[in-house]
Amino acid sequence: MTAFSLEPAQLAWCAELRALAAERLRPLAEKGEPGRVNRPLVAELGRLGLIERLFAAGALDLCLMRESLAQACTEAETALALQGLGAHPVHAHGTGAQRDRWLPAVTDGTAVAAFALSEPGAGSDAAALALTAHPDGPARWRLSGEKCWISNAPEADFYTVFARTTAGAGARGVTAFLLPADRPGLTGHGLDMLSPHPIGALDLDGVPVTAGDVLGEVDRGFRVAMGTLNLFRPSVGAFAVGMAQAALDATLDHTARRDAFGGKLRDLQAVSHQVAEMALRTEAARLMVYAAATAYDEGAPDVPGRSAMAKLLATETAQYVVDTAVQLHGARALRRGHLLEHLYREVRAPRVYEGASEIQRGIIAKELYARQEAR
């Protein structure tokens, strides 16, 4: 893989995205209700062509979009990412009829998508799914069980739902279904979480599905899930890098202006060295994210390991950078409404969702030992 650097056109596009996020998306985000889907914000992402670009762009473009938006408006970044996460299985594995029915509405921001994988007893261990697809005639099933920690639930217009179609088969017995929200037997409720994003739980009580709702192949839904996560994991890292950069920029500004001990905060070596460490870690995480995304776009064989490394390093880095920024700002950063108070609540979840940090370490080790055994 070649050494990485962005082209001038890419840098200009990132600057344009940051400006759009600050000028057009942040005002809509500020009008949204915490914990609810912000449909005007999603619609604006559609009008700007950003959702459509999710499905036309590669992994690197996805990372650049998420990083750039996150620097100026985390709500816009997350709304965009959730449209992609929920609808990517339809884009990649759906039938012509499924794609024609849902993707135009997703891309123009009039239909909200959701990715329903996690369950109360199956979060990081995705192969342990308990939601069951009970046979209900030829090529027909009824879904019964629960989903939990589902972004955009219960307000999404459709869900990519993963259910067990073969008992005792682990990852080999899971099927992905495209489930419209108006199916009988599907209910849900919102969850009050640390971050302000729409997250909820779903209850499925004999929800009917047919072969026409299957995404990909029966009993091969785990491939759908893992293929989606391998694409999006580096971009979760990009989201984290964007937050880290926002915290670093705020800290540079604050320490350059703040008077303390007869000078500026930046004149204190203890402070300047911390700022340098924040910048160092942020740039290292950014480069690893870009490298993982480039590997995905090039079809490299080591994508799972690289994706895991990128998500792990970037999310852990963002946690460190935001926490250090809060420390250097002092009590003002803890006031409700301060940028860093917002980032402090936002930055914790990415170390858990789409595979916790511990899971990423397990993936990395598995890939390393597999490579050793293949020599």
Side-chain angles (χ1 to χ4, degrees):
M1 186 180 302
T2 56
F4 195 89
S5 61
L6 292 180
E7 299 292 336
Q10 292 172 308
L11 292 169
W13 183 53
C14 290
E16 180 183 351
L17 287 173
R18 291 193 296 271
L20 284 173
E23 296 165 10
R24 296 180 60 172
L25 299 175
R26 191 191 299 156
L28 292 171
E30 291 172 349
K31 294 177 182 177
E33 182 180 347
R36 300 293 302 274
V37 172
N38 188 330
R39 288 185 179 267
L41 177 61
V42 175
E44 184 66 14
L45 289 167
R47 280 191 289 271
L48 293 172
L50 297 181
I51 302 175
E52 183 176 14
R53 185 153 184 167
L54 281 176
F55 303 110
L60 179 58
D61 268 5
L62 175 59
C63 287
L64 297 180
M65 293 171 73
R66 295 189 69 174
E67 178 188 345
S68 301
L69 293 178
Q71 288 187 46
C73 182
T74 58
E75 295 92 341
E77 182 283 332
T78 300
L80 178 74
L82 294 180
Q83 287 290 85
L85 185 66
H88 178 266
V90 182
H91 170 73
H93 301 278
T95 63
Q98 290 170 332
R99 290 195 295 267
D100 290 344
R101 167 66 182 88
W102 289 107
L103 291 184
V106 168
T107 56
D108 68 18
T110 58
V112 172
F115 185 81
L117 177 62
S118 296
E119 298 178 5
S124 294
D125 186 7
L129 295 181
L131 187 142
T132 304
H134 300 282
D136 188 39
R140 302 179 71 88
W141 302 264
R142 287 190 177 271
L143 306 182
S144 296
E146 299 175 78
K147 291 293 181 181
C148 200
W149 327 120
I150 307 304
S151 294
N152 284 343
E155 299 179 67
D157 296 301
F158 73 92
Y159 301 87
T160 296
V161 174
F162 298 87
R164 180 156 303 286
T165 39
T166 299
R172 296 180 182 274
V174 172
T175 300
F177 294 94
L178 195 167
L179 187 62
D182 60 359
R183 287 287 169 87
L186 176 62
T187 59
H189 61 275
L191 298 172
D192 189 8
M193 307 292 288
L194 179 67
S195 64
H197 304 304
I199 298 174
L202 298 173
D203 294 305
L204 296 93
D205 184 11
V207 178
V209 290
T210 70
D213 299 311
V214 173
L215 292 169
E217 302 175 60
V218 174
D219 284 345
R220 295 294 181 265
F222 200 69
R223 295 178 182 176
V224 176
M226 292 304 104
T228 302
L229 293 177
N230 281 338
L231 169 61
F232 276 83
R233 273 177 179 151
S235 73
V236 174
F239 172 39
V241 168
M243 289 190 286
Q245 187 64 54
L248 174 60
D249 290 342
T251 303
L252 286 168
D253 181 66
H254 174 69
T255 56
R257 293 186 295 104
R258 173 73 162 155
D259 292 318
F261 305 103
K264 302 296 183 183
L265 268 182
R266 70 179 184 185
D267 298 328
L268 301 174
Q269 187 179 71
V271 171
S272 63
H273 282 192
Q274 282 183 292
V275 172
E277 184 70 17
M278 293 163 69
L280 171 69
R281 296 195 192 190
T282 300
E283 185 64 12
R286 175 180 287 115
L287 292 174
M288 181 162 282
V289 166
Y290 291 175
T294 304
Y296 184 97
D297 288 340
E298 293 178 350
D302 55 352
V303 166
R306 284 186 174 274
S307 295
M309 286 183 177
K311 181 183 186 293
L312 175 63
L313 179 64
T315 55
E316 297 285 342
T317 292
Q319 183 79 56
Y320 165 82
V321 171
V322 171
D323 186 72
T324 303
V326 169
Q327 192 70 19
L328 292 177
H329 275 73
R332 73 189 64 222
L334 301 177
R335 291 188 64 182
R336 182 73 68 179
H338 192 282
L339 169 65
L340 291 175
E341 178 268 337
H342 172 76
L343 292 177
Y344 203 77
R345 287 184 290 114
E346 288 271 27
V347 79
R348 188 60 184 85
R351 292 171 60 203
V352 175
Y353 64 61
E354 294 187 39
S357 293
E358 292 75 15
I359 297 300
Q360 305 311 318
R361 290 185 174 93
I363 293 171
I364 294 164
K366 180 181 178 180
E367 293 290 316
L368 289 172
Y369 285 116
R371 194 182 311 163
Q372 182 193 45
E373 292 170 359
R375 289 174 182 169

